[in-house]
Amino acid sequence: MSSQTLSTILFLVFVAATLGITFWASRQTKTAADYYAGGRSFSGAQNGLAIGGDYMSAASFLGIAGIIALSGYDGFLYSIGFLVAWLVALLLVAELMRNSGKFTMADVLAFRMSPRPVRTAAGVSTIVVSIFYLLAQMVGAGALVGLLLGIEGEAAKAWTIVGVGILMIIYVVIGGMKGTTWVQIVKAVLLMSGATLVTLLVLGKYGFNLSALLGEAAAESGKGKAFLEPGLKYGTEAQGLAGKLDLISLGLALVLGTAGLPHILIRFYTVPTAKEARKSVLWGIGIIGTFYLLTLVLGFGAAALVGGEAILAQDKAGNTAAPQLALAIGTAIFGDVGGTILLAVIAAVAFATILAVVAGLTLASSSSFAHDLYAHVFKRGNVTDKEEVLVARISAFVIGAFSIGLGILAQGQNVAFLVALAFAVAASGNLPAILYSLFWKNFNTAGATSAIYGGLVSALVLVIFSPVVSGKPTSLFPDANFAWFPLSNPGLLSIPIGFLAGWIGTKLSKEYSAAKYAEIEVRSLTGVGAEKAAEH
């Protein structure tokens, strides 16, 4: 049996199982709280696994392994950035958001401010960030199927992206948060098992000597000692100062972005109490921290056993390094059949990863549209739970279709790099508004809208006029050149703009409610009133 056939069978088994879970969950979904927050019925351990499932995306598994395999030390900075970012989310916003809100990020912002303009801004920002993140998962899906089925044409990969998009829409429309959470839990277990297995096999081949692995990775990379030192991807002599600034910008975006990601923030609303929220964070940190340590071995293992040329020949952005490593190590240890089986298992796990994450993202963006924009802005709160959930399901179709189109356009980009852009947009628009709202008593409506729009618009404008979109062979439009902003990641400039815009907007407005700030401060720090808030 070929690897293509076996991996296809495994993937179809996963899809069938998760669709079964989704249809089961649909029968449990009766209210808006069930659809948006899974009825707040998940334990800390379950939600921790789901957080891990949401966070460990195609960027983590495919993109980071690929970027380490091709860029060595500089690629590993993505792993460090994603991991440290989670600690920032834990310390600054996780429990405070859970205690203060109901279904979406905008619930926290709207509590002490004029709700309509704030919900409009937060809804728009949530949808934009989610689409950027969805884009990366779609690109990963196309690259993975290209490896499995031997597909090289972009048209065939485009059909794969369409198929993944349709599945994700089904998960969200039918299962809601309950179905999506169980899909995340199953996927987290599969991903950790698959990544651990490959890591142990690679380390075993080198006698569990990490130095021997790194030495061979450097030798096989063709770049020698430079592969294990800073500067191969960022800060080269050719890039000059722009390369060094791009590295700082990337670090800022990764470390600060997680705390503003909508699909991560809504996870904290699925647990019944603040205590369970803390438990879920601890579980999440354990799973995520272990996984990012594994990416070190996966990336350098791919460089040593597959080689940069073979990785680039299959996918020019390096997104297939982890499955190629599974095939190489499996063949080396167990023979051709073993390599085929291991490739099939890892590919099926990667598929599961993509499907689970896109479902979470689509749910976050469709929930924000229905709950924030439709129910509270367009209908001014005069809407039934049933009507709101229907709108959320319809918007999932629209957002899913839009993401499919963008995913087809962005083929050839590294998925970890694309996710870093989503992090930059989240850190620029959402994070300033969230932190100001939780910790600055004078923060007001004008400040919130200024922070969100200022950060969001500046990030988008800088991305559009950066080498990501034009001016380079790897750009979205390689034949055009309108890139006047030299950095690939806008975070270095757009994040300070977001914070500055929020501060200026607040200072220019006299609106302020001491009573509401006092209430949200007590609620966010102690959890008192959180359950009551969830009922209204």
Side-chain angles (χ1 to χ4, degrees):
M1 185 183 292
S2 69
S3 62
Q4 287 95 333
T5 305
L6 186 58
S7 53
T8 302
I9 290 171
L10 286 171
F11 175 61
L12 290 176
V13 167
F14 172 81
V15 169
T18 50
L19 283 175
I21 292 170
T22 302
F23 281 104
W24 166 81
S26 69
R27 294 200 295 273
Q28 319 292 318
T29 301
K30 297 180 175 63
T31 66
D34 289 332
Y35 185 84
Y36 293 136
R40 305 183 201 282
S41 59
F42 291 98
S43 69
Q46 289 170 335
N47 196 47
L49 277 168
I51 286 170
D54 239 339
Y55 198 68
M56 298 181 298
S57 66
S60 303
F61 190 47
L62 301 177
I64 291 179
I67 213 163
I68 291 174
L70 297 177
S71 303
Y73 180 94
D74 281 11
F76 188 52
L77 293 173
Y78 279 85
S79 287
I80 299 299
F82 282 136
L83 177 56
V84 174
W86 180 244
L87 299 179
V88 174
L90 157 70
L91 295 172
L92 290 180
V93 300
E95 187 180 340
L96 305 183
M97 289 287 287
R98 156 68 196 60
N99 289 345
S100 310
K102 185 178 180 183
F103 296 139
T104 65
M105 173 187 79
D107 287 334
V108 177
L109 303 179
F111 178 79
R112 47 183 292 224
M113 300 166 198
S114 180
R116 293 187 74 207
V118 170
R119 284 190 183 277
T120 302
V124 169
S125 180
T126 295
I127 292 168
V128 170
V129 172
S130 297
I131 286 174
F132 262 97
Y133 214 118
L134 277 167
L135 184 61
Q137 313 307 315
M138 297 299 193
V139 170
L144 193 61
V145 171
L147 171 66
L148 283 178
L149 305 182
I151 295 170
E152 295 183 0
E154 289 194 359
K157 290 183 181 180
W159 281 109
T160 304
I161 291 172
V162 172
V164 169
I166 290 170
L167 272 173
M168 98 182 159
I169 291 168
I170 291 172
Y171 286 144
V172 174
V173 170
I174 296 174
M177 177 59 89
K178 192 164 283 189
T180 300
T181 299
W182 279 112
V183 169
Q184 299 284 19
I185 291 170
V186 171
K187 166 255 169 143
V189 172
L190 288 175
L191 181 58
M192 287 300 294
S193 302
T196 302
L197 174 61
V198 175
T199 297
L200 290 175
L201 291 175
V202 171
L203 288 175
K205 181 173 174 59
Y206 292 94
F208 289 89
N209 185 335
L210 192 59
S211 294
L213 168 61
L214 295 177
E216 184 156 341
E220 293 296 322
S221 70
K223 301 178 178 76
K225 189 180 177 184
F227 192 70
L228 303 178
E229 296 176 348
L232 200 58
K233 183 175 177 63
Y234 298 101
T236 62
E237 288 184 19
Q239 292 172 322
L241 180 61
K244 293 180 172 64
L245 292 177
D246 219 354
L247 178 58
I248 296 170
S249 189
L250 170 69
L252 272 176
L254 293 180
V255 170
L256 298 178
T258 302
L261 289 176
H263 71 295
I264 298 296
L265 295 175
I266 64 170
R267 279 260 145 251
F268 297 109
Y269 299 132
T270 64
V271 290
T273 64
K275 181 180 178 182
E276 291 300 316
R278 286 193 295 274
K279 275 188 187 176
S280 65
V281 167
L282 292 174
W283 272 87
I285 281 181
I287 294 164
I288 292 164
T290 303
F291 178 78
Y292 282 116
L293 288 176
L294 300 182
T295 61
L296 172 67
V297 178
L298 294 175
F300 285 110
L305 296 170
V306 181
E309 287 187 12
I311 294 169
L312 288 170
Q314 176 61 44
D315 184 89
K316 63 183 181 181
N319 294 321
T320 56
Q324 286 176 279
L325 171 62
L327 178 61
I329 191 67
T331 303
I333 296 175
F334 305 114
D336 290 340
V337 175
T340 298
I341 292 172
L342 194 56
L343 170 61
V345 169
I346 295 304
V349 167
F351 265 130
T353 296
I354 290 168
L355 282 177
V357 173
V358 294
L361 286 161
T362 308
L363 180 66
S365 48
S366 61
S367 296
S368 185
F369 178 84
H371 182 66
D372 297 324
L373 296 178
Y374 179 79
H376 288 91
V377 176
F378 303 152
K379 289 288 189 175
R380 299 175 182 268
N382 298 317
V383 61
T384 63
D385 275 5
K386 189 175 180 180
E387 188 181 355
E388 192 175 320
V389 171
L390 176 62
V391 171
R393 286 174 165 150
I394 293 170
S395 62
F397 273 103
V398 177
I399 290 164
F402 189 64
S403 302
I404 289 169
L406 284 176
I408 292 170
L409 184 66
Q411 289 185 72
Q413 297 284 327
N414 181 277
V415 289
F417 169 71
L418 288 172
V419 163
L421 292 182
F423 273 58
V425 176
S428 304
N430 293 348
L431 185 64
I434 291 170
L435 292 183
Y436 279 149
S437 183
L438 290 172
F439 299 110
W440 187 14
K441 67 179 182 180
N442 293 327
F443 194 51
N444 52 36
T445 304
T449 53
S450 298
I452 292 173
Y453 288 131
L456 184 66
V457 172
S458 63
L460 290 177
V461 168
L462 292 175
V463 168
I464 290 169
F465 293 103
S466 75
V468 175
V469 176
S470 70
K472 284 187 176 181
T474 54
S475 302
L476 288 180
F477 302 105
D479 298 327
N481 189 357
F482 45 85
W484 51 260
F485 183 65
L487 307 185
S488 296
N489 192 293
L492 186 63
L493 198 55
S494 60
I495 294 172
I497 287 175
F499 278 98
L500 181 62
W503 181 79
I504 292 173
T506 301
K507 290 297 183 180
L508 293 177
S509 172
K510 302 299 183 185
E511 177 202 2
Y512 169 61
S513 171
K516 283 193 172 182
Y517 174 74
E519 184 176 343
I520 200 168
E521 185 178 35
V522 170
R523 181 180 294 169
S524 66
L525 293 175
T526 66
V528 173
E531 287 75 14
K532 182 181 177 183
E535 294 168 1
H536 293 292

